């Protein structure tokens, strides 16, 4: 059974640097997903994240989820004996943390805010190290991707989606999270140690992303696909709902500023055959905010029309 790459990030700083660069390059080019171990985020901090995440769901989120649209729609669907799956809903409890002051921090979970601020600081630094490796592997100048996302210091967007996928009484009738690609740049996922459910689409087959305690799962979003002119692809992925276990999923997104202009890096443009002086960009140039407007309407639809739609704006 083929499984996604697991890479020891600490070897990037030792004698096995060259081999590790190749592993990450293959992870980006051939998979769009890979898992990092020994990534530098302290295990003690990750253990605290697990603790406050679990406590937050139990004390502040579970009761709300049990009255949610997803639960109500599934109950109605089952009672009416319908075939297939409930559409346009995910079996997911989720809230977003960002860098601004508008976060609705959980108020009844001790140390949640302090722990998650510390975690977000660490995972953001890891994201920037990963982007520098992508720069190097793509032959771009150090800091190219970060600079492109920050749009002349307007500030890249760094958000963290705190999700739980509770046990589902009818997992065959509802998605945990519908299949999609991620709109943004680099995504860093701290997933559950034990409960699986995340899958990626590779060569027409859905492949599990197995839980590895304290690993960070990396995947590339649509904007990395554009910047790399298609050398790195954003990959379809989904979450299955499960009858047992409450799956934790804490996904952090290093995305461009909404004002950033995104286009293929000039160094990665293709030379049209027999016309050496004519360079070809496989993807359009666009403002990321415009792309997000399209994405929000088409998240669960094929991604190619999204690029076409934003090119027409």
């Amino acid at each position: 059974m083929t499984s996604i790459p697991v890479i020891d990030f600490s070897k990037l700083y030792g004698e096995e640097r060259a081999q590790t660069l190749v592993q990450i390059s293959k992870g980006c080019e051939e998979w769009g997903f890979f898992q990092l171990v020994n990534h530098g985020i302290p295990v003690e901090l990750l253990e605290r994240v697990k603790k406050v995440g679990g406590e937050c769901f139990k004390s502040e989120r579970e009761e709300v989820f049990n009255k949610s649209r997803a639960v109500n729609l599934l109950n109605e669907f089952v009672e009416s004996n319908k075939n297939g799956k409930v559409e346009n809903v995910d079996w997911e409890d989720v809230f977003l943390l960002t860098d601004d002051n508008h976060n609705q921090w959980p108020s009844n979970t001790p140390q949640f805010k302090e722990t998650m601020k510390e975690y977000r600081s660490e995972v953001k630094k890891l994201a920037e190290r990963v982007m520098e490796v992508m720069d190097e592997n793509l032959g771009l100048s150090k800091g190219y991707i970060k600079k492109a996302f920050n749009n002349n210091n307007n500030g890249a967007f760094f958000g963290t989606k705190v999700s739980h996928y509770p046990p589902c009484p009818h997992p065959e009738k509802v998605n945990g999270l519908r299949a999609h690609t991620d709109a943004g740049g680099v995504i860093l996922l701290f997933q559950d140690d034990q409960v699986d459910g995340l899958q990626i689409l590779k060569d027409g087959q859905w492949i599990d992303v197995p839980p590895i305690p304290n690993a960070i799962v990396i995947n590339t979003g649509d904007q990395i696909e554009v910047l790399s002119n298609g050398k790195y692809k954003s990959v379809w992925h989904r979450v299955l709902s499960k009858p047992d276990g409450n799956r934790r999923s804490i996904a952090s997104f290093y995305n461009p500023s909404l004002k950033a202009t995104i286009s293929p890096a000039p160094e990665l443009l293709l030379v049209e055959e027999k016309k050496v002086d004519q360079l070809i960009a496989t993807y359009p140039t666009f403002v990321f905010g415009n792309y997000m407007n399209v994405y929000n309407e088409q998240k669960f639809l094929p991604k190619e029309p999204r690029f076409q739609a934003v090119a027409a704006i």
Side-chain angles (χ1 to χ4, degrees), residues 116-133:
M116 291 308 297
K117 279 193 167 186
E118 185 179 349
Y119 172 74
R120 278 173 42 77
S121 174
E122 289 291 326
V123 81
K124 186 175 184 180
K125 287 185 282 188
L126 177 59
E128 292 176 344
R129 291 196 295 269
V130 169
M131 290 192 297
E132 286 183 356
V133 173

Side-chain angles (χ1 to χ4, degrees), residues 6 14 21 83 99 108 202 236 240 248 262 271 275 299:
V6 178
L21 285 170
N83 295 320
D99 286 332
N108 297 325
K202 180 170 171 58
W236 286 87
L240 303 178
R248 179 194 69 251
I262 302 298
V271 179
K275 293 184 180 179
K299 177 176 179 177

Side-chain angles (χ1 to χ4, degrees), residues 132-173:
E132 286 183 356
V133 173
M134 291 180 180
D135 290 334
E136 186 171 349
N137 278 333
L138 289 168
L140 303 173
S141 58
K142 184 176 181 179
Y144 182 95
I145 296 173
K146 180 179 178 180
K147 183 178 179 181
F149 284 3
N150 275 275
N151 186 45
N152 298 320
N153 296 319
N154 274 331
F157 174 82
F158 187 71
T160 298
K161 193 180 81 162
V162 181
S163 300
H164 282 86
Y165 300 92
C168 181
H170 301 280
E172 75 286 356
K173 293 187 179 296

Side-chain angles (χ1 to χ4, degrees), residues 9-10 36-43 45-46 122 126 129 216:
F9 201 58
S10 67
L36 291 183
V37 296
N38 297 323
H39 40 64
I41 300 177
V43 170
L45 173 58
L46 296 176
E122 289 291 326
L126 177 59
R129 291 196 295 269
I216 299 291

Side-chain angles (χ1 to χ4, degrees), residues 56-84:
C56 175
F57 179 79
K58 279 293 180 187
S59 65
E60 303 188 50
R61 306 291 305 183
E62 186 171 33
E63 186 175 340
V64 176
F65 177 79
N66 289 337
K67 298 175 183 177
S68 68
R69 177 171 174 265
V71 172
N72 292 333
L73 286 176
L74 179 60
N75 288 339
E76 292 170 6
F77 195 86
V78 171
E79 288 170 6
S80 60
N81 292 314
K82 292 181 180 178
N83 295 320

